[in-house]
Amino acid sequence: MTDDSTPTKPTVTVTLDLTDDDVYAVLVNSLREAADEADHRAEREGESESPNEDWVDDQERMAQIGRALVANIETQIDDAARARQQENHS
């Protein structure tokens, strides 16, 4: 039986005033760090005496996905910047 008398914590709302550059930096840097860490975990596991190959593959796949997302975000930002330049020159 669960105890439902535990008081709930009040909700806190935080509003951040971020620029597109801030959002880009946080998102891209976080994805890069996550991909690097996944690679590091895969490498460490691969060097163990009896590595779990499925887990290593999963970590490597996560790193690849993270890097692909970074590349996609960078492409979208570059495309948007080119489109704005073309609009400004028209």
Side-chain angles (χ1 to χ4, degrees), residues 8-44:
T8 58
K9 294 183 180 180
T11 302
V12 176
T13 302
V14 177
T15 302
L16 301 173
D17 187 16
L18 300 172
T19 66
D20 288 345
D21 289 340
D22 294 334
V23 173
Y24 166 80
V26 169
L27 178 61
V28 168
N29 289 335
S30 295
L31 285 169
R32 282 188 180 130
E33 287 176 16
D36 290 346
E37 184 58 30
D39 270 341
H40 184 67
R41 287 190 304 265
E43 186 177 320
R44 265 195 331 252

Side-chain angles (χ1 to χ4, degrees), residues 56-73:
V56 170
D57 291 344
D58 288 344
Q59 295 302 303
E60 290 171 345
R61 214 171 6 264
M62 283 194 300
Q64 291 170 349
I65 290 168
R67 289 195 177 90
L69 285 169
V70 167
N72 186 289
I73 291 166

